[in-house]
């Protein structure tokens, strides 16, 4: 029996052969000009071999060859073939993204220690024929950098971790009640005031205790541009999120004219759903549109996220100005008011050739014409949106909220609540069963959420993310047919060695302990 290499996410077709390729001092990487960057990235991945692995643009024997083959449109934008034989390794795709994913698969045929940059002597690469393409186009990971600020260097590392799992979408939640994390040149107080809070909740929310320690930080536009470029090289699109009209207390603290109250607010220090939401003045609409304009200059992403979740309507009900606005605009209630607010953003983004995406509350009071819905309160929002012809990204909390406990709360580090073990993350099916095949085409994919109320460091974030994100990557990439948790676990064990070699603080799943 030829052993089956542990590729994760599982490829659509994987046929081991009895050939072997010897990677040694005579091996070269051959890549035509347009694949130069990917070739150099592969050199970087292989630097632990201590072989020179020169990058050449012309084909030769004994080489790792990267190729674009325009006749293979059947592979789609991200698919590839990988063939390892005795005299060559060939990765072929219709588009560069496919070549990049072929390279990620090739890395997984090599010793795990190479991820950490170490491996001595010649390497034998097992013979395979792989033919592979993803099931979904939106394979995402969300990260909240507001509740706890994460150092910029960590975001780069995280992009690498996403890319090795063939995830292609990084949703950066940049603004919230407890912190504003993106520099906006027109409104400097968003970060100088909104970027800092005086303290943070200590322990769980139910204890109602605070730590007395200031917390904050933000990314400059230059930081974010560097991150976008780094991610682009790794075929990861960064979707920025600017929250409105709720989860905006940090912005209101910086610019009180955005709020509904006459008393000033400070940057939030309490988790949960907060009543302090933005008002609906023309100047406020303009303010957020201006913020979006600067955001779009940094992020080329087609999709721009405007939040829209958890905006309690109490202050709008009590505000004579908001009530007058509802009447003037001929709206029925506060939900239609929010829908009007979001529509102003939808029209603004559409004018600039972008598409609005928001949490499923944007359905309430009527969905903006161009909107895509991110369905987090279960599947319902996604179903409603898909049925009305809108695109959907699934993010249902029971399956994709990686801030939930992954084991017994008595022995796990503090988390928000819930229970989402690895097996459940793996069992997730992104397409709701009630959708017809036609409606299901609106499901672009799904993503894992990392809200950071109780995640205060990169190490804890890695603990919460992995290996649940590894499981989700397979849900999103691999064909539905052939899905098996037991078989996944067999591949997960060697995969965790790769993460270990990278120094990732993953959680050891119960199923693999002592195995
Ligand atoms: C709900 S999910 C929120 C976040 C919290 C999260 C905690 C969503 C759109 N809003 O503000 O951080 O629950 O799990």
């Amino acid at each position: 029996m030829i052993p089956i290499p542990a590729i994760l996410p599982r490829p659509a077709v994987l046929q081991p052969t009895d050939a072997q390729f010897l990677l040694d001092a005579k091996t070269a990487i051959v890549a035509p000009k347009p694949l130069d960057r990917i070739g150099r990235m592969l050199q970087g991945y292989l630097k632990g071999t201590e072989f020179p692995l020169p990058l050449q643009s012309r084909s030769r024997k004994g080489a790792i060859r990267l190729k674009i083959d325009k006749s293979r449109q059947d592979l789609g934008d991200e698919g590839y073939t990988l063939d390892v034989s005795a005299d060559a390794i060939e990765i072929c795709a219709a588009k560069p993204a496919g070549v990049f994913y072929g390279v990620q698969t090739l890395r997984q045929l090599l010793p795990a220690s190479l991820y950490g940059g170490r491996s001595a002597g010649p390497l034998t690469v097992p013979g395979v024929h792989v033919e592979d393409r993803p099931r979904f186009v939106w394979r995402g990971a969300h990260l909240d950098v507001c509740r706890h600020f994460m150092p910029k260097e960590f975001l780069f590392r995280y992009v690498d971790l996403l890319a090795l799992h063939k995830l292609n979408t990084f949703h950066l939640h940049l603004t919230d009640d407890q912190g504003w994390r993106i520099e906006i040149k027109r409104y400097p107080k968003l970060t100088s005031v909104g970027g800092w809070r005086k303290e943070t909740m200590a322990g769980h929310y139910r204890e109602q205790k605070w730590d007395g320690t200031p917390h904050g930080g933000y990314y400059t536009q230059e930081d974010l541009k560097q991150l976008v470029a780094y991610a682009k090289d790794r075929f990861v699109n960064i979707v920025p999120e600017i929250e409105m009209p709720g989860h905006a207390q940090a912005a209101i603290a910086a610019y009180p004219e955005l709020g509904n109250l006459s008393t000033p607010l400070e940057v939030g220090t309490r988790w949960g759903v907060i009543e302090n939401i933005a008002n609906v003045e023309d100047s406020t609409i303009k303010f957020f549109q201006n913020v979006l304009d600067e955001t779009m200059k940094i992020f080329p992403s087609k999709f721009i996220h405007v939040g829209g979740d958890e905006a309690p309507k109490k202050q709008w009900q009590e505000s004579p100005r908001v009530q007058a606005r509802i009447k003037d605009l001929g709206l029925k209630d506060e939900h239609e008011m929010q829908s009007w607010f979001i529509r102003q953003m939808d029209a603004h983004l559409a004018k600039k050739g972008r598409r609005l995406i928001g949490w499923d509350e944007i359905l309430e009071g009527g969905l903006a014409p161009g909107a895509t819905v991110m369905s987090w309160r279960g599947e319902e929002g996604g179903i409603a949106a898909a049925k009305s012809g809108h695109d959907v990204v699934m993010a249902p909390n029971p399956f994709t909220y990686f801030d939930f406990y992954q084991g017994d709360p008595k022995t796990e580090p503090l988390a928000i609540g819930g229970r989402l073990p690895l097996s459940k993350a793996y069992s997730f099916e992104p397409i709701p069963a009630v959708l017809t095949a036609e409606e299901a085409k609106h499901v672009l994919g799904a993503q894992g959420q990392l809200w950071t109320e109780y995640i205060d460091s990169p190490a804890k974030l890695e603990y919460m993310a992995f290996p649940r994100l590894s499981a989700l990557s397979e849900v999103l990439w691999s064909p539905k047919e052939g899905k098996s948790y037991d078989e996944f676990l067999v591949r997960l064990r060697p995969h965790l060695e790769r993460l270990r070699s990278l120094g990732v603080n993953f959680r050891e799943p119960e199923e693999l302990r002592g195995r």
Side-chain angles (χ1 to χ4, degrees):
M1 261 278 285
I2 308 164
I4 300 176
I7 310 300
L8 194 158
R10 176 173 56 91
V13 175
L14 167 61
Q15 288 154 356
T17 70
D18 52 16
Q20 275 185 345
F21 179 89
L22 186 69
L23 197 160
D24 63 14
K26 294 194 291 290
T27 308
I29 297 172
V30 177
K33 265 274 162 279
L35 298 178
D36 209 50
R37 266 173 193 281
I38 301 178
R40 265 183 280 130
M41 224 159 337
L42 177 57
Q43 276 183 315
Y45 293 145
L46 298 179
K47 69 174 182 296
T49 62
E50 287 160 15
F51 298 134
L53 296 169
L55 184 59
Q56 303 170 344
S57 57
R58 294 278 290 275
S59 184
R60 75 194 258 297
K61 224 175 129 72
I64 304 174
R65 289 201 288 264
L66 311 183
K67 263 175 57 177
I68 292 286
D69 182 348
K70 296 230 158 54
S71 74
R72 291 302 311 266
Q73 296 302 322
D74 59 304
L75 292 168
D77 288 346
E78 299 180 296
Y80 65 92
T81 60
L82 162 64
D83 285 279
V84 176
S85 63
D87 35 64
I89 294 177
E90 188 169 285
I91 295 171
C92 173
K95 299 272 175 67
V99 174
F100 179 76
Y101 292 130
V103 163
Q104 295 307 322
T105 298
L106 172 59
R107 287 174 89 190
Q108 299 193 345
L109 296 173
L110 298 166
S113 60
L114 269 184
Y115 282 81
R118 288 174 307 278
S119 182
L123 297 169
T124 50
V125 186
V128 283
H129 168 69
V130 177
E131 191 147 348
D132 200 10
R133 55 180 298 174
R135 184 174 169 208
F136 292 103
V137 296
W138 187 298
R139 303 181 303 279
H142 150 287
L143 177 60
D144 165 12
V145 291
C146 303
R147 275 54 177 272
H148 280 98
F149 179 70
M150 297 289 158
K152 165 187 159 189
E153 297 67 35
F154 176 73
L155 301 186
F156 287 79
R157 170 179 168 86
Y158 204 59
V159 165
D160 281 321
L161 293 173
L162 301 188
L164 80 85
H165 288 93
K166 303 188 174 86
L167 294 166
N168 65 356
T169 305
F170 185 13
H171 171 180
L172 252 194
H173 181 82
L174 287 163
T175 74
D176 214 307
D177 298 311
Q178 301 85 2
W180 184 284
R181 308 281 176 235
I182 170 177
E183 176 191 27
I184 300 295
K185 297 208 160 74
R186 191 173 178 145
Y187 305 118
K189 285 195 281 182
L190 284 173
T191 42
S192 67
V193 175
W196 302 88
R197 62 174 178 259
K198 71 169 193 270
E199 58 184 348
T200 299
M201 294 193 97
H204 198 269
Y205 180 89
R206 62 181 164 270
E207 292 170 38
Q208 294 288 301
K209 286 201 190 113
W210 280 262
D211 67 0
T213 310
H215 177 89
Y218 68 93
Y219 311 109
T220 65
Q221 296 198 353
E222 190 46 41
D223 290 339
L224 293 168
K225 281 182 188 159
Q226 285 169 12
L227 182 68
V228 165
Y230 188 85
K232 180 165 183 257
D233 280 348
R234 287 150 186 82
F235 298 90
V236 172
N237 177 47
I238 305 188
V239 178
E241 178 180 356
I242 307 292
E243 274 269 21
M244 63 190 87
H247 286 289
Q249 186 172 323
I252 301 169
Y255 294 95
E257 62 272 27
L258 299 173
N260 297 290
L261 307 177
S262 50
T263 45
L265 291 169
E266 47 182 33
V267 177
T269 60
R270 175 187 296 276
W271 312 135
V273 182
I274 312 272
E275 279 173 9
N276 301 309
I277 72 171
N279 63 34
V280 297
E281 302 292 328
D282 282 331
S283 54
T284 298
I285 300 295
K286 193 75 200 132
F287 181 97
F288 280 106
Q289 290 175 339
N290 288 338
V291 168
L292 290 177
D293 285 347
E294 286 197 32
T295 305
M296 283 186 276
K297 288 218 178 86
I298 305 166
F299 296 95
S301 173
K302 184 92 181 161
F303 284 96
I304 303 288
H305 204 303
V306 299
D309 60 309
E310 297 181 326
K313 301 298 178 306
K314 180 160 177 283
Q315 292 185 350
W316 283 5
Q317 279 155 3
E318 291 167 358
S319 157
R321 285 193 69 96
V322 177
Q323 289 305 314
R325 200 80 211 269
I326 290 177
K327 236 175 109 201
D328 283 354
L329 292 166
L331 303 172
K332 192 168 93 220
D333 58 13
E334 293 75 21
H335 292 300
E336 287 197 356
M337 184 76 249
Q338 163 149 343
S339 167
W340 179 89
F341 189 116
I342 298 294
R343 273 203 311 272
Q344 306 314 302
M345 302 303 147
D346 184 47
H348 186 75
L349 292 174
K351 222 166 47 203
K352 316 244 159 162
R354 308 294 183 103
R355 291 178 64 185
L356 177 144
I357 184 165
W359 300 107
D360 55 55
E361 285 93 332
I362 64 171
L363 279 154
E364 295 162 6
L367 197 52
T372 295
V373 170
M374 193 168 266
S375 186
W376 73 278
R377 295 175 298 178
E379 291 187 323
E380 286 67 31
I383 294 168
K387 283 193 180 293
S388 60
H390 286 258
D391 284 343
V392 171
V393 173
M394 298 305 289
N397 48 9
F399 292 97
T400 65
Y401 270 45
F402 299 153
D403 57 340
F404 287 6
Y405 281 106
Q406 40 197 332
D408 185 349
K410 287 205 235 22
T411 52
E412 286 296 308
L414 180 68
I416 192 164
R419 190 70 85 90
L420 173 42
L422 180 64
S423 55
K424 186 161 180 182
Y426 189 80
S427 75
F428 173 47
E429 167 50 39
I431 298 191
V434 301
L435 295 185
T436 64
E438 210 40 50
E439 291 159 355
K441 289 188 186 146
H442 286 295
V443 179
L444 304 179
Q447 61 179 39
Q449 278 45 246
L450 278 156
W451 300 103
T452 55
E453 288 95 331
Y454 302 96
I455 302 177
D456 57 2
S457 67
K460 188 161 179 190
L461 193 92
E462 290 180 357
Y463 180 88
M464 299 304 277
F466 299 105
R468 289 184 293 191
L469 203 50
S470 313
L472 182 65
S473 78
E474 183 145 319
V475 168
L476 295 172
W477 179 280
S478 306
K480 197 176 166 187
E481 306 73 45
K483 183 171 170 175
S484 152
Y485 187 55
D486 287 339
E487 189 271 333
F488 166 74
L489 287 175
V490 172
R491 280 177 292 113
L492 182 61
R493 191 165 35 167
H495 185 69
L496 292 178
E497 290 313 313
R498 297 169 191 141
L499 298 184
R500 197 190 307 282
S501 175
L502 284 165
V504 175
N505 183 39
F506 62 86
R507 178 180 188 274
E508 191 94 47
E510 283 85 350
E511 294 94 329
L512 296 183
R513 289 182 195 168
R515 263 217 220 172

